[in-house]
Amino acid sequence: MDNTLLNRFYDDNVKMIRDETRQNIKIVMPIVEDILQYVHSKDRRFQIQPINVGSYYTHLKVSRADEFDFSVVLDTEGPLVWSSRSSSHNYGFDENNEVVRKGLTLPDPPIGKCFIYLSNTIPKWKREGINDGPACLTIDDNILPIKVKRRFKSLVGEAVNRQHIRKYVDAKRLSDSPATTLRITHPKTAGDSVSVDLTPLIESCTPFTEDFRWPRSEAQWPSDKKVEKLKSMGFNNIAKDPFYWTYSFASCEKELLDAIDANGTCRKKSQKIMKKLKESWCPEGMKQDLTSYHLKNILFWECEDHPHDYEWSDDKLATRLRSMCDRLLKCIREENVPQYFHPGVNLFSTKDIAVLHQVARNIQRFLQDPVSYLQRHY
């Protein structure tokens, strides 16, 4: 593997097509804004202005702008209380998959998850009649992720079902993903379709504690200034599991990537090449258990272990890519990708290890003979 090979691969296969990108943005944004305005008109707790997250807005997208990610803020209108203890959470699903009170208490949240209480806000919502029937997001003082997901998904479905939108947009069914996914097919988009993920989020700005083991005292990356900025931001919560809120570091990750290559380094370039290679490591028809989010965390760990800009100069591209591949292979062997901002969370915990070992074999084939591998797959 050498820099010339990787730079040629980057130019031929990875770089975004600028004209297509501008065209897709021009089509997608008015549709997303229309949908969110409708949702807000039906339930003012969901804010109109989304937060731009994901690979396009962090400049890590490869090839074509056919995927966009937005967080939609749920305005809780008051102070929040978080808990990692389950003392009075007596609810669950009935036979119709509806949330009901139960005799048994839920287990304590797994690491990286919590309960959220809204005791000061709920009486106000009740007085205004915005937390009744299908619009109810709570049980007692608890705001439930599954209720938020279902309410948001239902309103997005209504928005999509209007005549001027439904001819272009299809909303996928509710899934384990925190996002509601829209598939936009428009005669003016570049490519067959554009995927848009809308994720309800509580902008909690939760502070980092010692339990997170971040920042690490011995680390030289990121800079002290960046660390203070990230600590002041805190992290948020997304509706992924039915009853536990999941910590979201998307805003912190976006900030961490901002100006990461200000001194002419190749950090993002390395990451984008890894993302493009993932397409052949996880070919179509294979279970997609290695994700771009795993690769993003691999990048962050690589940056912390190699904190100096000279280690990321353009002539070190092949060195860094080889190192990131080796790091990923080690994570697969150990069946653990630690989350950068919360290393106690294993990002492989729900993945099919047999599939990941097949991915590892494909990575090893690439490392053994990069020239032949790239010629065969691209």
Side-chain angles (χ1 to χ4, degrees):
M1 189 189 310
D2 60 47
N3 295 324
T4 302
L5 174 70
L6 292 176
N7 280 313
R8 186 166 63 246
F9 176 72
Y10 180 82
D11 289 339
D12 293 346
N13 297 279
V14 180
K15 272 186 175 178
M16 293 279 286
I17 305 169
R18 293 184 182 276
D19 289 344
E20 291 187 358
T21 300
R22 281 193 295 267
Q23 182 65 19
N24 283 359
I25 283 283
K26 187 177 177 182
I27 298 299
V28 166
M29 287 311 301
I31 292 175
V32 170
E33 289 165 2
D34 184 291
I35 289 170
L36 293 183
Q37 283 174 352
Y38 178 90
V39 169
H40 181 74
S41 72
K42 297 295 182 179
D43 192 330
R44 64 170 177 76
R45 294 173 292 185
F46 294 105
Q47 299 299 286
I48 296 174
Q49 185 59 48
I51 300 173
N52 302 328
V53 294
S55 58
Y56 174 76
Y57 291 101
T58 53
H59 305 289
L60 290 176
K61 191 75 182 74
V62 299
S63 303
R64 171 170 282 160
D66 56 2
E67 294 178 353
F68 296 90
D69 300 278
F70 302 96
S71 294
V72 180
V73 175
L74 176 72
D75 186 1
T76 54
E77 303 181 61
L80 304 172
V81 178
W82 305 269
S83 173
S84 58
R85 294 281 178 259
S86 184
S87 57
S88 60
H89 299 84
N90 304 86
Y91 44 77
F93 290 122
D94 66 9
E95 62 275 9
N96 297 316
N97 213 27
E98 295 298 324
V99 179
V100 296
R101 298 184 189 281
K102 294 276 190 176
L104 298 175
T105 301
L106 285 170
D108 288 344
I111 189 168
K113 303 178 189 296
C114 67
F115 298 111
I116 294 182
Y117 302 89
L118 287 180
S119 54
N120 293 342
T121 304
I122 295 172
K124 182 174 183 288
W125 285 355
K126 286 182 177 177
R127 285 195 304 272
E128 296 178 12
I130 61 172
N131 198 46
D132 300 325
C136 179
L137 307 180
T138 60
I139 282 187
D140 299 325
D141 290 342
N142 305 303
I143 183 163
L144 302 190
I146 188 64
K147 284 177 168 276
V148 172
K149 280 180 66 174
R150 286 176 173 176
R151 175 63 171 163
F152 182 69
K153 172 76 175 181
S154 173
L155 293 176
V156 169
E158 289 179 19
V160 168
N161 200 38
R162 293 170 299 158
Q163 185 174 0
H164 69 288
I165 295 291
R166 68 170 176 255
K167 59 184 175 181
Y168 300 128
V169 182
D170 174 53
K172 290 187 177 180
R173 63 181 178 81
L174 193 71
S175 68
D176 289 337
S177 165
T180 295
T181 300
L182 309 176
R183 181 69 60 183
I184 299 176
T185 306
H186 192 283
K188 292 185 178 179
T189 54
D192 295 333
S193 63
V194 176
S195 176
V196 176
D197 279 353
L198 301 173
T199 305
L201 170 142
I202 292 181
E203 206 168 24
S204 52
C205 303
T206 313
F208 288 93
T209 65
E210 290 184 1
D211 294 342
F212 287 81
R213 306 205 306 274
W214 186 92
R216 287 165 279 279
S217 58
E218 72 282 3
Q220 299 180 57
W221 184 92
S223 67
D224 291 344
K225 182 178 179 181
K226 183 70 80 171
V227 166
E228 289 308 310
K229 170 77 173 183
L230 292 165
K231 286 167 70 175
S232 71
M233 292 170 59
F235 58 91
N236 301 313
N237 293 273
I238 55 172
K240 188 173 184 181
D241 287 2
F243 304 119
Y244 307 117
W245 286 93
T246 301
Y247 300 155
S248 170
F249 301 97
S251 295
C252 290
E253 290 156 3
K254 185 178 178 183
E255 175 62 30
L256 192 53
L257 289 164
D258 184 50
I260 197 172
D261 289 320
N263 295 327
T265 50
C266 67
R267 291 178 175 93
K268 286 188 178 180
K269 188 175 188 178
S270 302
Q271 173 72 352
K272 287 194 276 190
I273 291 173
M274 290 281 285
K275 285 184 66 175
K276 190 64 181 179
L277 288 169
K278 183 181 79 70
E279 295 176 6
S280 62
W281 296 340
C282 311
E284 204 169 317
M286 184 178 182
K287 198 173 176 186
Q288 299 298 300
D289 273 351
L290 179 67
T291 69
S292 295
Y293 189 63
H294 295 139
L295 298 183
K296 186 194 292 185
N297 279 269
I298 292 290
L299 170 66
F300 291 154
W301 286 112
E302 186 77 9
C303 288
E304 184 167 306
D305 287 348
H306 300 277
H308 305 293
D309 282 348
Y310 70 79
E311 297 176 280
W312 292 89
S313 58
D314 219 33
D315 62 332
K316 298 289 196 304
L317 178 63
T319 300
R320 289 279 66 81
L321 198 81
R322 174 76 198 217
S323 179
M324 290 166 72
C325 287
D326 288 341
R327 185 182 297 272
L328 177 56
L329 288 171
K330 181 174 183 289
C331 288
I332 293 174
R333 283 197 303 273
E334 295 176 354
E335 301 179 4
N336 181 20
V337 173
Q339 191 169 40
Y340 179 73
F341 283 109
H342 196 357
V345 175
N346 175 12
L347 297 176
F348 277 165
S349 64
T350 60
K351 302 303 179 182
D352 187 327
I353 298 303
V355 171
L356 289 174
H357 284 301
Q358 177 60 52
V359 172
R361 288 190 285 273
N362 291 337
I363 296 171
Q364 288 164 340
R365 291 186 186 104
F366 163 69
L367 293 176
Q368 288 163 3
D369 189 353
V371 174
S372 297
Y373 185 92
L374 294 180
Q375 287 175 342
R376 186 164 61 252
H377 292 279
Y378 298 93

